[in-house]
DNA sequence: ACCTGAACACCGTTCAAGT
DNA sequence: ACCTGAACACCGTTCAAGT
């Protein structure tokens, strides 16, 4: 195959390769053919680039998947002011659902990413923080907000299990944010995490009691169903 | 490498290869190294068998994954009699949760399998049918049972989205059960499906209104949270 | 008729050789 | 210093050649 020109007027550089272009192309390919059909080689081909060129913008395929999830979280509508917590949460969750319907491969990828990484990306943290902020502004005390986030879990982003597992002794991740920056950027998340940690200061693990949270959510659901049943 | 013997007293045949042995080994390998580390070649190696030998017992890797999910569903405790619907559902869901904790790779696989297949395996159908049966026996009318199954969705088996998508015009699957067998083996499921179809006989699609179901579950959850908040 | 080794068309990623 | 082709160690699956 011949190049279009060998003169110094080179072929149009087709826009420089950027992280955003790589991630957007990856998302588009996954939308078309599912995540199984997604490969580094195919993304490169779609961008008219040699496979190795991608590695300048993403460390490896796992990090590419993290980046893709960030793109999706960015598609969720930002919270609206002045409408009350319930309307704000409801709109946000329905926006997240619309995003998931556009990208049916997303829940499975998010599920595996949440299990594989010790902690979520900053984009994900910002989403969770903003969601917590809505509950807090709506008059929910910290502990009920904590339960509420667990209850909403599977509806917030298509997760079925807990949002993020504990680091489980793997030690701090290399790309963890310093605590001060965490507190500054994600104040609601920090407040909640601090309250939870203080709550169980005498317990070994500083994380949530996942079993309790699961049963709390389950009982809330069963209560609701029972009420409907009794009401006819 | 030499064979242990060339005499007619052959090496112990290590138990004949069966579908169950293939699936159990696959589940064990996934438990150890995650689903990414699972390959046909590795399963074969663990069984001391040539890779192609597996294809006598599973059609391909996707069908292997379906079989693995069936193994997991089989680990959920059967329903208990004489305890009331609420206790029965609660125990069952908590048993499903324990299964998921034993196999952290399961939700992502179930998620992808539910999206890839047009309909669930008979084992999965039996699980869902039995769950519906508990609600019905507990006095829930069919339509409320329908909503309840959607509400419980993500807790029933770690699904986040709808349990199974509509066939979406792909036509009947080759391995679909004939309607009479469906009705005989899964009576509750059939009753519910019939009621739903009748409900929307004037609508084109015969499936559920997923959007309605999602909002129903969301509002049930929000009602419960609001009640707790108001109660202090 | 049954089984299986080699082969095919892929993968993600490394690395040394080019510019 | 930067970029990249070939190569490495894998995949799932086909298929023809063996018994």
């Amino acid at each position: 195959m011949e190049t279009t020109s060998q003169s110094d007027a080179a072929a149009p550089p087709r826009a420089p390769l950027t992280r955003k272009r790589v991630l957007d192309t990856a998302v588009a390919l996954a939308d078309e053919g599912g995540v199984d059909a997604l490969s580094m080689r195919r993304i490169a081909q779609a961008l008219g680039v040699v496979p190795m060129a991608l590695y300048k913008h993403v460390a490896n395929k796992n990090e590419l998947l993290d980046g893709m999830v960030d793109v999706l979280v960015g598609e969720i509508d930002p919270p609206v002011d002045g409408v009350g917590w319930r309307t704000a949460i409801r709109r946000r969750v329905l926006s997240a659902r619309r995003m998931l319907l556009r990208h049916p491969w997303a829940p499975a990828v998010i599920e595996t990413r949440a299990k594989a990484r010790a902690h979520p990306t900053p984009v994900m943290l910002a989403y969770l923080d903003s969601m917590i902020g809505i509950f807090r502004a709506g008059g929910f005390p910290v502990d009920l907000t904590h339960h509420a986030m667990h209850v909403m879990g599977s509806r917030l982003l298509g997760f079925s299990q807990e949002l993020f597992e504990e680091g489980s002794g793997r030690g701090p991740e290399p790309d963890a944010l310093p605590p001060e920056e965490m507190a500054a950027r994600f104040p609601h998340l920090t407040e909640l995490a601090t309250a939870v940690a203080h709550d169980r200061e005498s317990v070994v693990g500083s994380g949530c009691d996942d079993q309790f949270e699961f049963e709390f959510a389950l009982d809330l659901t069963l209560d609701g169903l029972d009420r409907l049943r009794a009401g006819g």
Side-chain angles (χ1 to χ4, degrees), chain A residues 40 58-68 109 112-113 116-117:
Chain A
M40 300 299 277
V58 293
N60 49 48
K61 194 174 184 183
N62 280 341
E63 208 261 330
L64 172 92
L65 291 171
D66 283 337
M68 290 170 70
V109 170
T112 55
R113 292 289 77 212
R117 283 181 64 88

Side-chain angles (χ1 to χ4, degrees), chain A residues 62-84:
Chain A
N62 280 341
E63 208 261 330
L64 172 92
L65 291 171
D66 283 337
M68 290 170 70
V69 171
D70 281 356
V71 170
L72 300 195
V73 173
E75 290 183 8
I76 302 172
D77 293 337
V80 193
D81 299 325
V83 291

Side-chain angles (χ1 to χ4, degrees), chain A residues 10 64 91 121 124 142 144 163 178 221 232:
Chain A
L64 172 92
R91 286 195 192 167
T121 65
M124 180 73 83
V142 174
L144 185 54
L163 285 184
T221 303

Side-chain angles (χ1 to χ4, degrees), chain A residues 17-31:
Chain A
L17 197 58
T18 62
R19 182 163 221 268
K20 178 168 169 34
R21 287 224 310 143
V22 171
L23 296 178
D24 288 347
T25 303
V27 167
L29 285 178
D31 289 346

Side-chain angles (χ1 to χ4, degrees), chain A residues 26-100:
Chain A
V27 167
L29 285 178
D31 289 346
E32 284 170 31
V35 81
D36 283 345
L38 189 74
S39 73
M40 300 299 277
R41 286 164 138 101
R42 209 178 293 263
I43 298 165
Q45 183 190 312
L47 286 162
V49 143
V50 79
M52 284 314 297
L54 302 179
Y55 286 79
K56 270 278 120 69
H57 300 97
V58 293
N60 49 48
K61 194 174 184 183
N62 280 341
E63 208 261 330
L64 172 92
L65 291 171
D66 283 337
M68 290 170 70
V69 171
D70 281 356
V71 170
L72 300 195
V73 173
E75 290 183 8
I76 302 172
D77 293 337
V80 193
D81 299 325
V83 291
W85 73 270
R86 186 175 177 134
T87 302
I89 294 281
R90 201 169 193 284
R91 286 195 192 167
R92 206 91 198 283
V93 171
L94 291 176
S95 173
R97 171 170 157 81
R98 287 193 298 274
M99 177 274 284
L100 291 175

Side-chain angles (χ1 to χ4, degrees), chain A residues 1-221:
Chain A
M1 189 178 304
E2 309 169 85
T3 58
T4 48
S5 164
Q6 297 195 20
S7 71
D8 53 335
R14 296 183 167 283
L17 197 58
T18 62
R19 182 163 221 268
K20 178 168 169 34
R21 287 224 310 143
V22 171
L23 296 178
D24 288 347
T25 303
V27 167
L29 285 178
D31 289 346
E32 284 170 31
V35 81
D36 283 345
L38 189 74
S39 73
M40 300 299 277
R41 286 164 138 101
R42 209 178 293 263
I43 298 165
Q45 183 190 312
L47 286 162
V49 143
V50 79
M52 284 314 297
L54 302 179
Y55 286 79
K56 270 278 120 69
H57 300 97
V58 293
N60 49 48
K61 194 174 184 183
N62 280 341
E63 208 261 330
L64 172 92
L65 291 171
D66 283 337
M68 290 170 70
V69 171
D70 281 356
V71 170
L72 300 195
V73 173
E75 290 183 8
I76 302 172
D77 293 337
V80 193
D81 299 325
V83 291
W85 73 270
R86 186 175 177 134
T87 302
I89 294 281
R90 201 169 193 284
R91 286 195 192 167
R92 206 91 198 283
V93 171
L94 291 176
S95 173
R97 171 170 157 81
R98 287 193 298 274
M99 177 274 284
L100 291 175
L101 291 175
R102 285 194 298 271
H103 312 289
W105 48 273
V109 170
I110 293 171
E111 183 82 45
T112 55
R113 292 289 77 212
K115 292 257 163 63
R117 283 181 64 88
H119 53 243
T121 65
V123 170
M124 180 73 83
L125 288 171
Y127 173 68
L128 297 175
D129 187 73
S130 146
M131 200 66 92
I132 294 168
I134 298 174
F135 279 115
R136 295 290 288 120
F140 279 71
V142 174
D143 58 345
L144 185 54
T145 301
H146 179 209
H147 298 326
M149 287 295 286
H150 278 278
V151 170
M152 302 290 299
S154 72
R155 318 228 170 256
L156 284 183
L157 253 184
F159 298 114
S160 49
Q161 298 301 100
E162 303 309 323
L163 285 184
F164 292 99
E165 310 290 323
E166 282 299 299
S168 65
R170 269 171 290 175
E173 289 296 303
D175 56 346
L177 291 176
E180 322 81 57
E181 193 174 345
M182 277 289 294
R185 290 178 60 183
F186 315 116
H188 304 299
L189 204 54
T190 303
E191 175 195 49
L192 194 149
T194 305
V196 170
H198 181 266
D199 233 34
R200 338 189 161 264
E201 56 188 0
S202 62
V203 185
V204 176
S206 67
C208 316
D209 183 340
D210 287 343
Q211 183 67 25
F212 175 84
E213 296 302 340
F214 186 91
E215 297 196 25
F216 183 93
L218 177 56
D219 289 329
L220 188 83
T221 303

